[in-house]
Amino acid sequence: MLKKLTERIYYMPHSKETDRPVLGLICGDKYSLVVDAGNSPAHAKEFMEAVSKLDIAPVKYLAITHWHWDHVFGIETMKLITLCHIKTRERLDYMQKLSWDDKALEERVRSGEEIEFCSEMIKKELPDRDGFKLGNADISFDEKIEVDLGGTTCIIVNIGGSHSEDSSAIYVPEDQVMFLGDSISPDLYSGERSYYIDKVISMTNKIKKYDTKTYLSSHDEPESSESLLEFLDELERIGGFAGEKAKFDNVIDEFVKIYGKEPNEDELFYIKTFINGNINKS
Ligand SMILES: [Zn+2]
């Protein structure tokens, strides 16, 4: 099912069942561009079939937000000209050498390379992985790349963040829409969920350079700029407060001293997540 966001932008909503992310479609006068490849050949096929029913310019490009499995497993099925950051490409090069059978997945979970949750979701989304082939990029960029679709521009820009350093946003200036991938989420691959204040600040500064009305994160509903910028400000506030500290109790004591109240549930979660980041760094 595709939803229309603006005159030229559509998206297929995320689904929690097998952790399918949002897939996007940006339509120009000459060409159209897809955002992210989906978490399996079936996901990619479902999306492309829905897209084929629209009266739009030919779908030519695929922009990848970052290397995680749920965003790239459909690359081979989509058969488009695939664009991604150079570090995403390097990860895809590496992932192409891996086996994706149960045994290999379980081995990587044991060694800490793969997350249990992702392994379970891969098994659920793709029970039969015989013959599964991971695609790769055709064009990679360092800082950013602009694609002119005819009357509509896609600026694909590396914004980094805690989640994955290769994270790229796809910004459409004409419609003031930005696809964020998972960039505003914490790091999930270093044990406990972790935010890093320096990475959060650098990412937020890059996001704020572009005048945006609507943001799409991969595992969420579309969000207004007021709501997203408020979240990022809150994240920076808590991250700045946690600073370089690595002891949870000290941070809570200081929070109570300064704010005259106990942190609420959200504040507590973010404090913990920034402290995890500080522990990872030290
Ligand atoms: Zn991710």
Side-chain angles (χ1 to χ4, degrees):
M1 177 202 41
L2 282 182
K3 287 193 173 177
K4 193 168 184 172
L5 186 71
T6 66
E7 205 44 52
R8 290 167 176 266
I9 301 178
Y10 298 79
Y11 70 100
M12 186 181 256
H14 71 111
S15 158
K16 283 200 170 132
E17 171 95 20
T18 53
D19 209 31
R20 285 184 169 187
V22 164
L23 301 183
L25 176 72
I26 301 156
C27 310
D29 296 330
K30 276 163 72 184
Y31 306 113
S32 301
L33 176 146
V34 172
V35 177
D36 274 341
N39 70 352
S40 65
H43 188 201
K45 201 164 159 250
E46 207 176 289
F47 178 77
M48 294 306 272
E49 272 172 14
V51 167
S52 72
K53 296 190 180 109
L54 300 173
D55 182 21
I56 55 166
V59 184
K60 188 162 182 170
Y61 301 104
L62 165 65
I64 300 290
T65 59
H66 65 299
W67 64 269
H68 293 163
W69 76 280
D70 48 325
H71 304 259
V72 303
F73 270 21
I75 291 177
E76 188 73 8
T77 305
M78 285 193 172
K79 298 199 183 340
L80 300 169
I81 297 172
T82 305
L83 307 131
C84 71
H85 188 258
I86 192 123
K87 285 180 183 151
T88 312
R89 196 207 164 88
E90 283 166 10
R91 284 300 305 201
L92 288 168
D93 285 342
Y94 169 71
M95 287 159 80
Q96 283 186 316
K97 294 180 196 134
L98 300 176
S99 300
W100 295 95
D101 55 63
D102 285 6
K103 199 168 154 266
L105 272 173
E106 279 150 25
E107 186 50 48
R108 290 203 291 279
V109 170
R110 261 196 300 277
S111 73
E113 187 183 338
E114 188 53 270
I115 303 169
E116 175 88 52
F117 173 76
C118 295
S119 167
E120 291 313 311
M121 287 294 141
I122 290 171
K123 288 178 194 167
K124 204 170 168 190
E125 170 71 34
L126 262 133
D128 178 11
R129 270 152 277 135
D130 285 349
F132 167 67
K133 193 167 171 266
L134 181 64
N136 206 334
D138 299 297
I139 299 168
S140 45
F141 60 89
D142 192 0
E143 194 187 334
K144 67 173 174 177
I145 191 167
E146 287 194 28
V147 185
D148 181 357
L149 300 174
T152 305
T153 321
C154 293
I155 302 172
I156 313 167
V157 55
N158 177 236
I159 56 169
S162 303
H163 187 74
S164 192
E165 60 175 351
D166 65 323
S167 279
S168 301
I170 291 94
Y171 177 65
V172 184
E174 291 84 356
D175 290 34
Q176 292 178 287
V177 169
M178 186 180 269
F179 289 84
L180 288 166
D182 293 345
S183 54
I184 65 168
S185 301
D187 171 16
L188 307 178
Y189 277 86
S190 308
E192 298 290 320
R193 286 164 182 251
S194 305
Y195 273 123
Y196 310 97
I197 185 60
D198 48 340
K199 290 186 181 182
V200 168
I201 291 172
S202 151
M203 173 195 73
T204 301
N205 289 341
K206 286 178 185 165
I207 289 174
K208 283 182 175 170
K209 273 189 193 163
Y210 299 91
D211 191 9
T212 306
K213 274 191 188 142
T214 310
Y215 293 94
L216 285 106
S217 286
S218 294
H219 300 277
D220 217 332
E221 299 302 312
E223 207 174 344
S224 71
S225 63
E226 293 77 28
S227 161
L228 186 101
L229 296 179
E230 202 179 296
F231 168 74
L232 291 176
D233 284 348
E234 175 73 356
L235 207 55
E236 276 196 26
R237 181 176 73 84
I238 300 280
F241 182 79
E244 298 293 314
K245 299 180 202 76
K247 284 215 171 68
F248 181 68
D249 290 346
N250 297 355
V251 178
I252 299 299
D253 287 349
E254 205 177 315
F255 188 98
V256 172
K257 226 185 276 168
I258 290 176
Y259 292 99
K261 65 167 191 98
E262 295 283 332
N264 66 29
E265 208 179 308
D266 283 350
E267 288 164 337
L268 211 52
F269 172 77
Y270 295 122
I271 288 171
K272 271 186 197 155
T273 315
F274 275 108
I275 289 172
N276 291 338
N278 290 338
I279 294 169
N280 287 345
K281 271 190 283 186
S282 57

